[in-house]
Amino acid sequence: MSIQAAKASDRTGEADLHDRPAAEIRRRGACPALAAPMPTGDGLLVRLRPAGGALTPSQFASLARSAAAHGNGILEITARGNLQIRGLRAETVGQLAADVDAAGIIVPDGPAIETPPLHGIDPEEICDPAAMEMALRSTLRDQLASPRLAPKLSFVVDGGGSFGLSALSADIRVVAQSPEDWLVATNGDGETATPVAIGPAETAISAVGEILSLLANLGQGRRARDIDPALLRTCSPAMDGIQFIPSRAEAMPLAGSHRLKDGKTILGLRPEFGQMRASDLIALLDLATDRGATAIRLAPGRGFFLIGLSADTVPAMQIDAARHGFAAQPGENSEHIAACAGAGACGSAFYETRTLARHLIGVAPALFDGSLTLHLSGCPKGCAHARPALTLTGSAEGYGLILNGLAADLPDERIAGGRIDFAIERLARAIEDNKDAGESTAACLTRLGATGVSKALRQE
């Protein structure tokens, strides 16, 4: 199906989604979706991605009220811009699902396909990713619905623009190169993924279909990294002629007021570590609606954009947002911390990640110059951050400190249980004491290496 045809069938497609059974619409296998909630330390968790990552303020408020009525009133936005609702019980998941339907929120069938949060309203966008998503879902419907696909298959369709998704890793990437051409790549982000095909929409859709067929044939649960490059090359012989994936300019920051090239103002907000209470969210949305907000766009980086505010209402909105626990200005230290739900909220976690995060923001400012991310992971799964970082992993034996890696990596230093906050404070002091003029925290940490860090942690 062409992009033009997808646009023409948009309304029909939406009606079809409304008419399909709820269980079919929300099938996500092992992912914590409405059809298969995940047990955690504070009850059941569901994760959902509304179509296009878009909600109206009233829909978002309805979700918050439902989270308070049927869960523990805590909602989260993930690093990939998906929405999570916590503290549900087996008997209340169906009630939440009914509220989702009643609010008119569409959760498409098959894998979540992530698109830039400003799709369709960003004047710098190269091509419409929402139309490409519709074309993919229509043309490849049966393949996308296959139970042989991995439940956590990650899929990005990036039309470019002010807030592109080049930093987001995915099994399958479809990236606009021009108004006519799309690049298809696998297993990586905008710099590391392997190019497979480039051409008009029909070529891109066909290439995605080939990749989905390979994944289904490999067996249930397999990911793009499991595809033999030689087999991929056989299915897509033109891939060797694609020299590189052009990297796009750095995306604008999430939090703060932004003026698009057409003069429209949007406001990016980030709940602390991506987590918010329903009461705070409802109060914020009421204020936003009174000031003219017409839409919400969930965004990677654990936040969302308010659309429709006039420029003169933004300063007051930022003050009110901060009062309700939302970062409304860029550069706050919390944006450099990726913290999972932690002990008490997740049954796998061995320490209270967010309590430690709040403490470290106050006592270890040297860690937060923006040159690195501090990943606080309650266990080796590393759900909060899928990229290398300064990582503190919890385990039954204590903590593992990884200077630049993933939560599952072998620790550079092991720290016994107890006052872990003191150990990280000592590390921060060592960085302050050893940092050269103009040197970043990340560079200093690299220079210190495992030996220097080990010595710092043992100093009294």
Side-chain angles (χ1 to χ4, degrees):
M1 177 182 284
S2 68
I3 295 294
Q4 289 75 17
K7 289 181 177 178
S9 67
D10 183 57
R11 184 168 298 176
T12 301
E14 288 187 2
D16 180 61
L17 284 172
H18 276 297
D19 293 339
R20 294 164 72 182
E24 179 186 355
I25 288 175
R26 298 186 186 90
R27 181 193 64 76
R28 287 287 286 127
C31 282
L34 284 166
M38 182 175 73
T40 65
D42 58 353
L44 298 177
L45 177 147
V46 300
R47 180 183 302 146
L48 57 89
R49 178 174 177 80
L55 295 164
T56 65
S58 63
Q59 286 175 330
F60 205 5
S62 293
L63 276 176
R65 285 190 290 270
S66 188
H70 308 309
N72 61 9
I74 294 177
L75 301 93
E76 296 171 328
I77 303 177
T78 71
R80 300 185 74 90
N82 297 315
L83 189 64
Q84 295 186 159
I85 297 173
R86 306 192 68 94
L88 295 157
R89 304 183 304 281
E91 64 270 21
T92 63
V93 173
Q95 296 168 319
L96 174 69
D99 289 347
V100 169
D101 287 338
I105 299 169
I106 303 298
V107 182
D109 187 20
I113 297 180
E114 289 142 359
T115 53
L118 303 183
H119 64 82
I121 60 175
D122 185 350
E124 296 185 63
E125 190 171 73
I126 299 172
C127 199
D128 184 3
M132 171 56 88
E133 177 187 354
M134 180 68 70
L136 286 164
R137 290 194 184 278
S138 176
T139 307
L140 306 176
R141 173 172 293 183
D142 291 342
Q143 288 180 273
L144 288 170
S146 170
R148 294 180 65 82
L149 293 181
K152 293 185 178 181
L153 185 74
S154 52
F155 209 135
V156 161
V157 177
D158 189 352
S162 303
F163 201 104
L165 302 181
S166 60
L168 210 60
S169 183
D171 288 288
I172 302 174
R173 307 183 64 80
V174 183
V175 184
Q177 302 296 286
S178 72
E180 293 78 32
D181 289 330
W182 295 82
L183 174 73
V184 178
T186 64
N187 189 32
D189 58 24
E191 294 182 355
T192 63
T194 300
V196 173
I198 190 168
E202 291 75 10
T203 299
I205 294 169
S206 177
V208 171
E210 292 284 357
I211 296 168
L212 292 174
S213 294
L214 289 175
L215 289 170
N217 290 335
L218 282 173
Q220 189 171 18
R222 305 302 286 272
R223 306 290 292 272
R225 60 177 175 267
D226 300 316
I227 299 176
D228 185 339
L231 185 59
L232 186 61
R233 193 169 286 106
T234 299
C235 295
S236 304
M239 64 183 285
D240 286 333
I242 304 171
Q243 298 301 314
F244 62 92
I245 303 175
S247 4
R248 297 197 55 77
E250 187 73 19
M252 71 182 189
L254 170 55
S257 175
H258 310 284
R259 186 178 291 273
L260 302 181
K261 280 197 170 182
D262 60 2
K264 292 178 182 175
T265 298
I266 60 172
L267 178 61
L269 301 174
R270 180 188 287 108
E272 186 185 42
F273 312 123
Q275 190 176 91
M276 53 202 159
R277 294 195 173 276
S279 56
D280 287 323
L281 178 59
I282 292 167
L284 178 79
L285 292 171
D286 285 344
L287 291 168
T289 300
D290 290 343
R291 293 183 174 125
T294 56
I296 305 293
R297 295 293 183 91
L298 303 176
R302 301 182 175 85
F304 59 91
F305 289 107
L306 286 175
I307 313 297
L309 296 172
S310 59
D312 61 324
T313 65
V314 166
M317 194 72 236
Q318 288 177 299
I319 293 171
D320 287 331
R323 184 162 53 87
H324 288 288
F326 295 82
Q329 301 285 354
E332 296 194 15
N333 285 344
S334 61
E335 72 183 55
H336 304 303
I337 300 178
C340 70
C346 176
S348 299
F350 288 93
Y351 71 98
E352 295 183 359
T353 56
R354 293 174 183 183
T355 299
L356 179 59
R358 295 183 186 101
H359 176 74
L360 294 179
I361 286 173
V363 301
L367 294 176
F368 308 111
D369 66 348
S371 64
L372 56 75
T373 295
L374 175 61
H375 179 192
L376 301 180
S377 184
C379 78
K381 290 191 294 184
C383 299
H385 194 70
R387 300 169 70 88
L390 174 60
T391 301
L392 186 69
T393 302
S395 71
E397 293 74 35
Y399 304 86
L401 183 66
I402 300 146
L403 299 186
N404 185 30
L406 306 176
D409 290 347
L410 188 67
D412 294 293
E413 182 72 17
R414 295 189 184 277
I415 305 168
R419 301 303 301 276
I420 183 63
D421 48 349
F422 284 175
I424 302 301
E425 286 178 51
R426 285 197 292 271
L427 176 61
R429 286 199 301 271
I431 291 172
E432 287 181 304
D433 293 342
N434 288 277
K435 189 185 292 186
D436 292 335
E439 188 177 34
S440 70
T441 293
C444 181
L445 199 57
T446 299
R447 182 167 53 79
L448 287 173
T451 301
V453 168
S454 179
K455 181 180 178 181
L457 292 176
R458 285 161 175 72
Q459 289 178 346
E460 295 296 336

